[in-house]
Amino acid sequence: MRLVLFRLIGILEIAGGFYGVVAALRRLLPLGSTHESIFALIDLAVFAFVLIAGVLLLDNSERGIAFSRWAQLLQVPLIATSAFSYALSSGAFVNVFSTLHLPPHLLLDSHFGTQGFVLATSGPGTSRIGINLLALLSWLALRFR
């Protein structure tokens, strides 16, 4: 069971990491503004790390398990406020989040076969905070093997 679970996590990391690297390269290659290029490089580095973690996890190496723990931990928080936004998903996500305006609403969102990375000093009009349940469960599975 452990091997099947680790392989599934590795496959999702590889798929999301590869897709994220390709998307980051597409943003980086037109050589736009310096600001856009810096964020594209950060995007590229994050998804390259997730891709490498997935490959090493499929090799069943201890380093792959450690890297995958970090890759999953990076995907857990979801923060979207007017001052700062952060979210990362690679391969799949099951997000549970709440809006921060009155009355607060608890919402669930999920998608498989996707990638996304948001890092910004601004955010949406409606602030929200939450966690990626799939990443949290994957991190726990990798932690308590």
Side-chain angles (χ1 to χ4, degrees), residues 3-121:
L3 185 62
V4 171
L5 187 59
F6 280 23
R7 288 198 186 273
L8 178 61
I9 293 169
I11 289 168
L12 288 173
E13 286 177 349
I14 290 170
F18 179 74
Y19 186 50
V21 165
V22 170
L25 284 173
R26 289 184 63 193
R27 279 181 46 204
L28 186 62
L29 288 181
L31 294 178
S33 70
T34 304
H35 185 279
E36 180 66 26
S37 296
I38 289 171
F39 279 104
L41 282 173
I42 293 169
D43 201 8
L44 180 66
V46 167
F47 282 112
F49 174 75
V50 172
L51 177 62
I52 291 167
V55 169
L56 291 174
L57 186 63
L58 284 184
D59 284 342
N60 204 21
S61 73
E62 285 300 316
R63 182 173 282 181
I65 294 169
F67 284 3
S68 289
R69 275 190 222 148
W70 280 105
Q72 294 303 315
L73 195 58
L74 287 172
Q75 296 180 60
V76 172
L78 304 169
I79 303 166
T81 65
S82 59
F84 178 75
S85 295
Y86 173 82
L88 172 66
S89 65
S90 181
F93 65 84
V94 177
N95 294 338
V96 175
F97 58 94
S98 175
T99 58
L100 297 179
H101 61 82
L102 293 175
H105 295 90
L106 191 61
L107 302 165
L108 178 71
D109 187 21
S110 65
H111 196 73
F112 289 87
T114 187
Q115 60 80 29
F117 181 59
V118 176
L119 179 63
T121 56

